[in-house]
Amino acid sequence: MSQQGYVATPPYSQAQPGMGGYPAGFGSAPAQPLYRHYGGPPQSFPAPPTGMMKPVSSPSGMPPPQVPSHYGSNGQQNGAHPQSYPAPPYGQPLQSPYHSMAHQGPPPAQQLTNQMGAMNLGYGPGPVQSPQAPPTSHLTQQQFQTAPPTAMGHPPMGPHSSQMAHPQSPLAGPTMAGPPSMGGPPPMGGMGRPFPGPPPPGAGGFPQPGPGAAGPPGHPQQLQGQFGGQMAGPGMAGPGMAGPGMAGPGMAGPFQGGAAQMAGPPQKKLDPDSIPSTTQVIEDDQAKRGGQVYTTNLRGQVPPLVTTDYTVQDQGNASPRFMRCTTYSFPCTADLAKQCQVPLATIIKPFATVPKNETPMYVVNHGETGPIRCNRCKAYMCPYMQFTDGGRRYQCGFCNCVNEVPAFYFQHLDHMGKRVDFYERPELSLGSYEFAATLDYCKNNKPASPPAYIFMIDVSYANIKSGLVRLVCDELKTLLDNLPREDGAESSMVKVGFVTYNKILHFYNVKSALAQPQMMVVSDTAEMFVPLLDGFLVNFQESRAVINNLLDQIPDMFADTNESETVFAPVIQAGVEALKAAECSGKLFIFHSSIPTAEAPGKLKNRDDKKLINTEKEKTLFQPQKAVYEQLSKDCVSQGCCVDLFLFPSQYVDIATMGDVATHTGGSVFKYSNFQVERDGQHFLSDLRKDVEKAIGFDAIMRVRTSTGFRATDFFGAIHMNNTTDVEMAAVDCDKAVTVEFKHDDTLSEETGALMQCALLYTTISGQRRLRIHNLSLNCSAQLSELYKSCETDALVNFFAKSAYRAMLNQPLKTVKEILVNQAAHMLACYRKNCASPSAASQLILPDAMKVFPVYLNSLLKTGPLVGSAELSTDDRAHQRLSTTAMGVEDTQLLLYPRLIPLHNMDVASDVVPTPVRCSEERLTDAGMFLLENGCSLFLWLGQACPPEMIQSIFNVPSLAHVPVDLRSLPELDNPQSQKLRSIVDSLLDQRPSSMKLMIVKQKDRSEIMFRQHLVEDQGLHGGASYMDFLCYVHREIRQVLT
């Protein structure tokens, strides 16, 4: 069955002479195409189908005339930093890294006819084609197929980019093999590319704005095209551009009659909304599935998007809040998986927060005997076990072993072969549940103890001077009342302890019997030990008076300090030793200001070197300095000691190394550069409160079991791996996710599907040992169309982000980006070749479920870690890299496609947040007000023509000029606009794992640069293509794979 996907046509069919975004110099062509997962063996793609034309070298070698670039000095887009995208030398034949291109194409005149014919695709209100029907030759009516896809994007098409590149034309010169490299001097005029053939009449393509004619920066001009109608500026097709790959006589599909019959009247400029829009996809899914109950009784069903508001009813498979997959239909064989290149992965968030209207997790307690497990593979009792022999035996769904049912667990079967007590037992009828663990599951076979929280405060000069120490101490007095506790418990069982440090460490005895706290000093940081056992870790309720007394004294005790040097590794070591002595797991909250330079283990030196950027050695900036810290991570994990690091740097602190222990112990790194209490205090305190209060499990070990035929091979997250199967986490909280990749080791059967079980053994906040089980069943299919139909873009992007961020530690960024784009092109080319109806090569056809994948991938390529720009701080890049490692699907979705919410026309009477618009400058209006959030940052953007009455109602000042830019929160005014806006901001802050600091940005202010870098459909400020240009580039790569 052929299946037509998301079809996009003219925009992708023209080459663009001056397209911004892709420089030529991508290094020499790789010896073998890099189509594979990181570290996978090289592999080639099947031979092209007959009838496909190969790209050509120029018949005459004549270059087209130079045209001034639209992105020249006056027309710079987005007010961005100028970038360079050098063109290859003229007249050079195109070379593909994959195949030689020695094939001659049709003569130039015919090429132009082809080109105009191919453009002749209407986007009128014709009927949407059904997925089965192959497009007929009257492609004028061909529409975008728009079944609800996954959350990704339609970028607004700027006037400069209404025509997409003909993929075969060299967007990036001879050796282009990967994504744009970034940065460089401003583009020169005349960025033409070597197009085949001599210039036809009217050479030069479409008129370009000359240096004097360019419009204001960021607003490319609309140009009258040579063929009438509004044509795009720089990106228009140049001479002879319908290159060889346009449908010529030998072409498969509807163009077999050759060029003559294709020619038709030229079309008008494409509607900017005609390329896939993330916001539209999100809206469609919300309209179709929002507010509904999603029952998990079917194998392999695709859940609603992470952005959709739905309720889950567990009927045998884990809720998508706990487990999401890149596809819900696995290919039956390894060959199919290799052919399509779609990563097979699951993102598991074992402690995901469950809304109040959904059933909480049941705890099953089998007493002394403990959970029932398969004798062979050790899988836990679950809905995939098949009972036989009148209920006396069961067959394991994972390894097919037949096991005896223990006498106490026996139950008769009904006429359908189901146990009579099926609905009374969570482990037989639900996808997620918990077992109470027995002593066999505890360390040293001793019952676990409740965890402890140790607060470790750097009292060096910087932290005292900034007011941070006083702020932390004041906050802890009230915050400790909110330590996490079991549902229904009166108070928390978590113990607390306190340490202050600079070059030496101070421990405090806060035993409830004392009148005053006592300080003990350890100055030998090389041999760290805890000087007191009794009185260091205490119950807050019992020792409240002594603790409050201590918190009052600390800021004054160190008020006159001049000590600016700090230690760091010994501080973590002290925490581990304290937990070891108390025989419990726990968490260290470390508040630290500067790079540890004092003589002690783990001393660091400044190794930040901007000269390494865009070189082979750039990766070393992100590799942690091993030795002490690697061993420290292992010690922490084996003791169940999680590290949360709050950093307050005023310069480089080597986050790559300092954050490494936190990232391997299930912890988090928070960073507040140039911290000022007035400006950043509330932001920091919100983070600290969320961090202390969140649901969490300690001393955790996770294993993912699968049915026969495939297995878990790779794991990404804030985790530690001692062997290839056990994922160890000193702690795992409600925001942390582990991404697991699977590979085939045999053929999968369509009948039984693919089953997986995630089992997490952990200690609860009250000190009980539990097993949390999540089960999920997927379909298997020998049809690739099934796989593509059940893909989930948001999960795919989560996987790609994590694997790229890991790969950048070992490979140059250029290689990492090439692999990303190559794999994406491979996935889409395989769909085109095996699942889509035949159609012109000039069309870009995307699977419906992945139609917005390119916008997310492009956004990923423009993120700080992957952009080689000296303007970004190494610490910021390392911080984003570490934070993303543990993110769940909803977090990476929002990070890579922020929400841009228009506020100027919001309905104050409604409770609903206004519908977000596409993330592009084109959607901003001078008289508008927009809120942009990506889970880390929150901006309120004010247009320069924002109505004074609106400014008055929200800021209580007469006009935009009077709005203070350093506001950190919105004034509480008693009017509907102010109340509505504050409720929107509060609801966003409430939904996100970390707090976001509100920044007020006025149009055309310097601060707007920060805001603009989040408009992911536009060109990147530090390099990187616009969404539109990237689509051309991906289309070109797809065609290269296919030919």
Side-chain angles (χ1 to χ4, degrees):
M1 177 187 101
S2 84
Q3 181 190 358
Q4 187 66 4
Y6 189 92
V7 182
T9 317
Y12 316 102
S13 57
Q14 315 303 330
Q16 307 204 16
M19 177 175 290
Y22 296 99
F26 272 29
S28 56
Q32 285 170 303
L34 295 155
Y35 305 139
R36 58 186 187 278
H37 298 302
Y38 294 109
Q43 52 194 70
S44 56
F45 203 73
T50 48
M52 278 293 203
M53 296 196 63
K54 289 199 171 165
V56 304
S57 56
S58 160
S60 68
M62 274 182 64
Q66 299 209 349
V67 288
S69 159
H70 181 75
Y71 297 106
S73 47
N74 309 14
Q76 226 183 80
Q77 177 141 10
N78 286 354
H81 308 289
Q83 308 297 340
S84 84
Y85 306 110
Y90 273 132
Q92 218 173 299
L94 304 184
Q95 290 163 15
S96 146
Y98 312 109
H99 298 279
S100 75
M101 301 185 171
H103 207 64
Q104 294 294 320
Q110 186 188 337
Q111 288 181 354
L112 194 67
T113 332
N114 290 359
Q115 170 196 341
M116 293 316 299
M119 278 172 58
N120 184 15
L121 300 184
Y123 289 83
V128 175
Q129 282 190 307
S130 76
Q132 287 77 13
T136 47
S137 54
H138 64 87
L139 279 169
T140 21
Q141 280 304 321
Q142 185 150 356
Q143 286 247 351
F144 284 107
Q145 315 274 328
T146 49
T150 46
M152 313 278 293
H154 275 279
M157 248 157 124
H160 70 284
S161 56
S162 65
Q163 295 288 358
M164 301 297 284
H166 182 305
Q168 212 77 354
S169 60
L171 271 182
T175 51
M176 175 134 190
S181 62
M182 317 289 190
M188 302 301 154
M191 275 175 46
R193 301 281 193 248
F195 297 114
F206 302 97
Q208 308 279 324
H219 299 282
Q221 290 185 308
Q222 307 245 359
L223 300 170
Q224 246 349 78
Q226 170 185 341
F227 299 105
Q230 286 267 298
M231 298 308 251
M236 278 317 292
M241 266 164 58
M246 296 293 290
M251 198 65 199
F255 284 139
Q256 281 146 349
Q261 70 188 50
M262 292 166 17
Q267 293 289 304
K268 289 201 176 64
K269 183 168 92 68
L270 272 177
D271 169 21
D273 289 320
S274 61
I275 55 175
S277 154
T278 301
T279 47
Q280 191 58 54
V281 163
I282 290 171
E283 239 176 289
D284 292 348
D285 198 69
Q286 177 63 38
K288 187 177 171 198
R289 308 182 75 170
Q292 297 184 6
V293 174
Y294 172 74
T295 52
T296 68
N297 53 343
L298 296 177
R299 185 175 85 194
Q301 62 177 334
V302 182
L305 298 183
V306 282
T307 43
T308 299
D309 184 27
Y310 58 95
T311 304
V312 179
Q313 190 174 14
D314 186 342
Q315 292 191 358
N317 283 298
S319 154
R321 302 190 201 288
F322 298 122
M323 295 176 88
R324 277 186 178 269
C325 299
T326 51
T327 175
Y328 290 84
S329 180
F330 274 16
C332 280
T333 64
D335 285 346
L336 274 177
K338 192 169 166 181
Q339 190 182 338
C340 72
Q341 294 276 316
V342 174
L344 307 177
T346 299
I347 295 92
I348 305 172
K349 211 181 200 183
F351 278 88
T353 309
V354 173
K356 294 199 165 45
N357 60 346
E358 290 179 20
T359 320
M361 197 78 80
Y362 285 101
V363 181
V364 178
N365 192 341
H366 289 321
E368 299 278 298
T369 50
I372 294 175
R373 306 174 67 173
C374 167
N375 291 329
R376 183 195 288 161
C377 71
K378 299 292 182 242
Y380 293 86
M381 180 53 68
C382 69
Y384 315 139
M385 304 298 188
Q386 198 62 49
F387 287 87
T388 56
D389 194 10
R392 285 185 285 277
R393 293 194 172 88
Y394 67 92
Q395 182 173 18
C396 172
F398 296 93
C399 69
N400 299 324
C401 171
V402 176
N403 297 271
E404 298 286 331
V405 173
F408 82 92
Y409 199 69
F410 173 78
Q411 185 55 268
H412 295 286
L413 307 184
D414 65 11
H415 64 290
M416 301 285 289
K418 217 181 225 180
R419 280 174 59 123
V420 180
D421 61 355
F422 179 80
Y423 291 107
E424 287 142 45
R425 291 200 176 269
E427 73 273 24
L428 300 180
S429 53
L430 298 180
S432 299
Y433 43 86
E434 291 197 323
F435 287 116
T438 56
L439 285 180
D440 300 342
Y441 294 88
C442 298
K443 253 189 202 152
N444 307 327
N445 290 5
K446 281 178 19 196
S449 312
Y453 283 5
I454 305 178
F455 297 89
M456 314 183 93
I457 306 168
D458 162 3
V459 289
S460 62
Y461 177 73
N463 276 358
I464 293 288
K465 192 182 75 172
S466 70
L468 175 75
V469 174
R470 191 171 294 279
L471 185 71
V472 171
C473 291
D474 288 348
E475 176 64 24
L476 287 178
K477 293 178 205 169
T478 50
L479 182 57
L480 295 179
D481 275 323
N482 301 334
L483 290 169
R485 52 172 171 242
E486 290 287 337
D487 293 339
E490 279 183 30
S491 65
S492 172
M493 296 178 71
V494 175
K495 293 204 160 87
V496 293
F498 303 88
V499 173
T500 55
Y501 67 95
N502 37 47
K503 278 195 341 194
I504 57 179
L505 279 76
H506 322 106
F507 294 79
Y508 297 93
N509 183 343
V510 283
K511 208 156 128 188
S512 55
L514 296 174
Q516 282 283 335
Q518 296 170 345
M519 178 205 266
M520 297 193 173
V521 178
V522 177
S523 50
D524 181 5
T525 50
E527 296 292 326
M528 188 40 66
F529 68 100
V530 180
L532 73 161
L533 292 179
D534 190 28
F536 178 61
L537 295 178
V538 298
N539 179 306
F540 174 64
Q541 303 302 341
E542 293 169 11
S543 294
R544 179 191 293 269
V546 193
I547 289 173
N548 285 348
N549 190 335
L550 170 68
L551 294 171
D552 284 335
Q553 288 181 34
I554 287 175
D556 300 332
M557 224 177 335
F558 299 98
D560 302 326
T561 185
N562 289 320
E563 185 53 75
S564 58
E565 286 196 315
T566 56
V567 295
F568 181 62
V571 179
I572 299 176
Q573 192 66 52
V576 175
E577 295 299 332
L579 296 177
K580 221 179 249 175
E583 296 188 348
C584 67
S585 50
K587 186 187 254 199
L588 313 181
F589 295 82
I590 303 179
F591 306 93
H592 190 89
S593 63
S594 57
I595 192 162
T597 52
E599 279 307 325
K603 173 184 173 178
L604 297 176
K605 57 180 189 295
N606 186 337
R607 59 187 182 124
D608 190 16
D609 184 358
K610 293 277 192 251
K611 292 200 287 294
L612 298 181
I613 287 173
N614 287 322
T615 69
E616 291 280 312
K617 290 190 172 164
E618 182 173 3
K619 58 185 182 231
T620 59
L621 296 174
F622 303 102
Q623 293 166 354
Q625 299 183 42
K626 294 264 173 56
V628 175
Y629 290 100
E630 196 169 31
Q631 187 53 47
L632 210 46
S633 294
K634 288 180 183 160
D635 294 348
C636 285
V637 171
S638 68
Q639 189 50 48
C641 169
C642 169
V643 177
D644 273 355
L645 186 56
F646 293 82
L647 284 170
F648 306 87
S650 54
Q651 55 205 37
Y652 175 78
V653 289
D654 194 357
I655 285 187
T657 302
M658 292 189 71
D660 192 53
V661 177
T663 319
H664 278 101
T665 56
S668 309
V669 181
F670 301 88
K671 177 171 178 279
Y672 313 89
S673 300
N674 303 313
F675 179 81
Q676 292 173 16
V677 169
E678 314 68 56
R679 188 189 65 192
D680 308 298
Q682 281 314 309
H683 175 212
F684 155 62
L685 292 178
S686 313
D687 276 337
L688 178 59
R689 287 171 197 144
K690 282 190 172 191
D691 197 40
V692 168
E693 296 167 15
K694 64 171 61 161
I696 187 167
F698 287 93
D699 205 6
I701 185 161
M702 180 175 103
R703 184 171 279 195
V704 178
R705 292 181 173 83
T706 55
S707 51
T708 48
F710 74 115
R711 63 197 163 83
T713 55
D714 216 346
F715 301 86
F716 305 85
I719 57 174
H720 176 76
M721 301 284 298
N722 247 341
N723 53 39
T724 53
T725 51
D726 295 327
V727 179
E728 297 183 58
M729 294 169 280
V732 53
D733 64 47
C734 56
D735 301 317
K736 298 286 186 291
V738 179
T739 299
V740 184
E741 188 181 9
F742 300 100
K743 291 266 165 48
H744 287 73
D745 45 22
D746 205 346
T747 303
L748 299 173
S749 126
E750 297 197 23
E751 212 173 301
T752 54
L755 312 177
M756 53 185 79
Q757 180 180 80
C758 161
L760 180 87
L761 174 65
Y762 73 100
T763 303
T764 67
I765 210 76
S766 60
Q768 295 174 359
R769 210 67 179 137
R770 293 237 183 108
L771 281 150
R772 180 168 283 220
I773 312 292
H774 296 298
N775 302 290
L776 189 61
S777 60
L778 306 180
N779 287 333
C780 294
S781 173
Q783 301 298 320
L784 284 175
S785 56
E786 288 302 310
L787 176 141
Y788 283 103
K789 224 190 285 183
S790 64
C791 271
E792 187 183 304
T793 295
D794 299 336
L796 274 171
V797 173
N798 177 284
F799 173 84
F800 276 116
K802 291 185 181 186
S803 54
Y805 283 178
R806 178 190 290 176
M808 64 183 276
L809 291 180
N810 307 312
Q811 290 170 293
L813 285 185
K814 194 179 80 174
T815 310
V816 172
K817 291 190 281 197
E818 283 171 12
I819 292 175
L820 275 177
V821 177
N822 278 328
Q823 189 171 345
H826 239 86
M827 284 158 46
L828 298 171
C830 176
Y831 174 80
R832 169 79 187 242
K833 182 174 173 220
N834 298 294
C835 310
S837 311
S839 60
S842 57
Q843 285 184 328
L844 173 61
I845 299 182
L846 302 167
D848 198 69
M850 288 165 73
K851 68 182 178 197
V852 282
F853 179 66
V855 79
Y856 283 92
L857 182 63
N858 187 35
S859 177
L860 172 60
L861 293 169
K862 292 189 283 188
T863 54
L866 293 179
V867 171
S869 165
E871 290 172 38
L872 296 172
S873 94
T874 304
D875 272 346
D876 283 346
R877 295 172 69 195
H879 183 229
Q880 186 178 341
R881 190 189 150 268
L882 292 176
S883 310
T884 308
T885 307
M887 279 186 182
V889 177
E890 47 285 86
D891 304 327
T892 47
Q893 187 278 326
L894 187 63
L895 183 70
L896 295 173
Y897 200 91
R899 291 171 68 178
L900 183 61
I901 301 169
L903 302 170
H904 39 277
N905 45 14
M906 60 185 176
D907 176 3
V908 290
S910 147
D911 289 340
V912 190
V913 174
T915 306
V917 294
R918 294 171 71 147
C919 221
S920 163
E921 181 198 13
E922 298 234 325
R923 302 295 146 146
L924 303 175
T925 53
D926 288 0
M929 182 186 284
F930 290 82
L931 197 61
L932 182 142
E933 63 127 0
N934 70 350
C936 306
S937 313
L938 184 62
F939 297 92
L940 182 57
W941 183 90
L942 309 172
Q944 50 196 152
C946 212
E949 54 275 16
M950 193 154 139
I951 297 288
Q952 179 70 49
S953 65
I954 286 173
F955 298 100
N956 205 17
V957 296
S959 72
L960 181 65
H962 293 82
V963 174
V965 195
D966 55 356
L967 266 186
R968 289 296 157 244
S969 59
L970 296 167
E972 297 193 17
L973 306 175
D974 192 13
N975 67 61
Q977 279 82 6
S978 172
Q979 288 164 350
K980 171 75 177 167
L981 177 53
R982 281 182 291 116
S983 85
I984 290 174
V985 170
D986 290 345
S987 77
L988 295 181
L989 289 173
D990 198 42
Q991 291 167 27
R992 307 296 167 224
S994 55
S995 144
M996 297 181 281
K997 183 169 73 175
L998 180 68
M999 290 179 67
I1000 310 286
V1001 172
K1002 297 181 191 177
Q1003 188 177 9
K1004 302 256 158 73
D1005 259 16
R1006 278 191 60 194
S1007 60
E1008 207 187 9
I1009 292 268
M1010 293 283 291
F1011 166 81
R1012 278 176 184 274
Q1013 67 190 22
H1014 297 296
L1015 299 176
V1016 296
E1017 293 199 3
D1018 301 338
Q1019 275 190 300
L1021 295 191
H1022 303 289
S1026 68
Y1027 172 28
M1028 176 63 87
D1029 292 352
F1030 183 69
L1031 267 182
C1032 305
Y1033 173 59
V1034 167
H1035 188 194
R1036 175 175 169 275
E1037 291 291 299
I1038 291 171
R1039 305 240 336 239
Q1040 217 148 36
V1041 171
L1042 290 173
T1043 51

